[in-house]
């Protein structure tokens, strides 16, 4: 059975006090998660230990970092290693988010190293992939995403892949005024699953959790999550509003 996950990515938002209040507001909603359902809170680095403490008594709730270093250790001022994250109890780490790719020029090769570091530290990577507007307009999105998967994930073993979650980000539909339809999301998720099946086998593909990272909101979450290959969402702005995030979680099904 595939896991159903809603992950909230805070990005560079909220003070510690605001973040603590947000988590408490989410917990006070009294969510009852079904078997195989998870809620992941991806906070900035300074808040990880606080988030872990707040969530420790709530089954199905986990903490994610938003990034990790591509190296295990060394003279990399300002970087945070996967081993460091593991030492404070981090469960997941987001790798290859579209903003990291764009603003920090993270290549597929660098992201492959980050995936390796996370897995070696016992942390589950949430690996992001997706195409910008020019690629979508050229109708070459499948080839583009396939290359991202091949160059960052295809070196893994089937056993390693079991700890990987994939998040599809239609970059062209984030903050542009354009909207990705539920059908477009399903098409790409099905394509991603087919690529995994071709490389790792049908069984591995069937058990792979694929999240949608394209501006999911309470108003469209149910339609998105109803698709057979959409296993939840990587939520940005809506995860900063407790009522919205709770409503999206409730649509997990």
């Amino acid at each position: 059975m595939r896991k159903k996950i809603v992950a909230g990515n805070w990005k560079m938002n909220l003070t510690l006090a605001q973040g603590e209040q947000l988590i408490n507001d989410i917990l006070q909603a009294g969510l009852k998660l079904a078997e195989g359902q998870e809620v992941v809170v991806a906070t900035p680095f300074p808040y990880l230990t606080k988030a872990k403490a707040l969530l420790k008594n709530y089954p199905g709730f986990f903490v994610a970092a938003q990034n990790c270093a591509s190296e295990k250790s060394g003279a990399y001022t300002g970087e945070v290693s996967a081993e460091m994250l593991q030492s404070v109890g981090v469960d997941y780490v987001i790798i290859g988010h579209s903003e990291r790719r764009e603003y920090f020029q993270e290549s597929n090769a660098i992201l492959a190293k980050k995936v390796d570091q996370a897995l070696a530290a016992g942390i589950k990577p949430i690996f992001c992939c997706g195409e910008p507007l020019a690629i979508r307009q050229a109708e070459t999105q499948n080839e583009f995403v396939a290359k991202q998967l091949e160059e960052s994930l295809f070196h893994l073993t089937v056993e390693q892949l079991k700890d990987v979650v994939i998040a599809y980000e239609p970059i062209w539909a984030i903050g542009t005024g354009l909207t990705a339809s539920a059908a477009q999301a399903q098409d790409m998720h099905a394509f991603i699953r087919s690529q995994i099946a071709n490389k790792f086998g049908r069984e591995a593909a069937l058990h792979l959790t694929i999240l949608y990272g394209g501006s999911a909101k309470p108003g469209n979450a149910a339609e998105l999550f109803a698709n057979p290959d959409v296993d939840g969402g990587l939520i940005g702005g809506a995860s900063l509003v407790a009522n919205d995030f709770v409503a999206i979680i409730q649509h997990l099904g």
Side-chain angles (χ1 to χ4, degrees), residues 44-122:
F45 289 132
Y47 309 162
L48 289 170
T49 54
K50 185 63 176 182
K52 187 73 178 180
L54 290 171
L55 297 172
K56 67 178 181 180
N57 295 322
Y58 291 85
F61 284 80
F62 299 89
V63 174
Q66 298 175 19
N67 184 38
C68 73
S70 59
E71 305 299 328
K72 182 176 181 179
S73 62
Y76 302 99
T77 301
E79 290 293 288
V80 176
S81 72
E83 192 173 57
M84 292 173 177
L85 297 176
Q86 187 276 334
S87 74
V88 297
V90 168
D91 307 290
Y92 288 89
V93 59
I94 299 173
I95 291 176
H97 192 280
S98 58
E99 293 156 359
R100 298 290 312 179
R101 291 176 183 269
E102 179 181 357
Y103 304 148
F104 300 95
Q105 289 79 54
E106 292 187 347
S107 67
N108 293 333
I110 288 175
L111 298 177
K113 294 177 68 175
K114 292 190 176 193
V115 168
D116 290 345
Q117 290 298 323
L119 291 172

Side-chain angles (χ1 to χ4, degrees), residues 182-196:
Q184 287 173 316
Q186 166 59 23
D187 286 347
M188 181 55 80
H189 281 230
F191 173 75
I192 291 170
R193 205 175 299 281
S194 73
Q195 294 301 108
I196 296 299

Side-chain angles (χ1 to χ4, degrees), residues 18-253:
Q18 290 169 334
E20 183 175 357
Q21 184 63 56
L22 175 59
I23 289 177
N24 284 329
D25 288 345
I26 293 166
L27 295 176
Q28 287 170 10
L31 290 164
K32 302 296 182 184
L33 301 178
E35 182 181 358
Q37 293 183 347
E38 295 182 6
V39 174
V40 180
V41 179
T43 78
F45 289 132
Y47 309 162
L48 289 170
T49 54
K50 185 63 176 182
K52 187 73 178 180
L54 290 171
L55 297 172
K56 67 178 181 180
N57 295 322
Y58 291 85
F61 284 80
F62 299 89
V63 174
Q66 298 175 19
N67 184 38
C68 73
S70 59
E71 305 299 328
K72 182 176 181 179
S73 62
Y76 302 99
T77 301
E79 290 293 288
V80 176
S81 72
E83 192 173 57
M84 292 173 177
L85 297 176
Q86 187 276 334
S87 74
V88 297
V90 168
D91 307 290
Y92 288 89
V93 59
I94 299 173
I95 291 176
H97 192 280
S98 58
E99 293 156 359
R100 298 290 312 179
R101 291 176 183 269
E102 179 181 357
Y103 304 148
F104 300 95
Q105 289 79 54
E106 292 187 347
S107 67
N108 293 333
I110 288 175
L111 298 177
K113 294 177 68 175
K114 292 190 176 193
V115 168
D116 290 345
Q117 290 298 323
L119 291 172
I123 298 174
K124 298 178 176 66
I126 299 175
F127 177 79
C128 300
C129 58
E131 78 282 4
L133 181 59
I135 297 297
R136 172 61 66 158
Q137 289 176 330
E139 299 183 353
T140 56
Q141 63 269 14
N142 286 5
E143 294 87 344
F144 186 87
V145 170
K147 184 178 181 182
Q148 291 178 319
L149 297 173
E150 179 179 352
E151 295 185 357
S152 297
L153 297 182
F154 278 17
H155 66 289
L156 300 177
T157 66
V158 173
E159 282 301 310
Q160 288 175 316
L161 187 73
K162 290 179 180 178
D163 286 326
V164 175
V165 172
I166 293 179
Y168 167 61
E169 296 183 283
I171 303 167
W172 54 275
I174 301 173
T176 63
L178 301 174
T179 303
S181 68
Q184 287 173 316
Q186 166 59 23
D187 286 347
M188 181 55 80
H189 281 230
F191 173 75
I192 291 170
R193 205 175 299 281
S194 73
Q195 294 301 108
I196 296 299
N198 291 341
K199 173 63 179 179
F200 296 97
R202 181 173 178 272
E203 193 70 16
L206 287 175
H207 285 86
L208 177 70
T209 298
I210 308 177
L211 309 181
Y212 178 73
S215 299
K217 299 177 177 63
N220 63 7
E223 183 182 11
L224 286 165
F225 296 170
N227 286 288
D229 289 296
V230 179
D231 303 316
L234 176 60
I235 315 301
S239 70
L240 300 173
V241 180
N243 289 340
D244 288 352
F245 193 50
V246 167
I248 292 170
I249 296 166
Q250 290 171 327
H251 287 306
L252 203 50

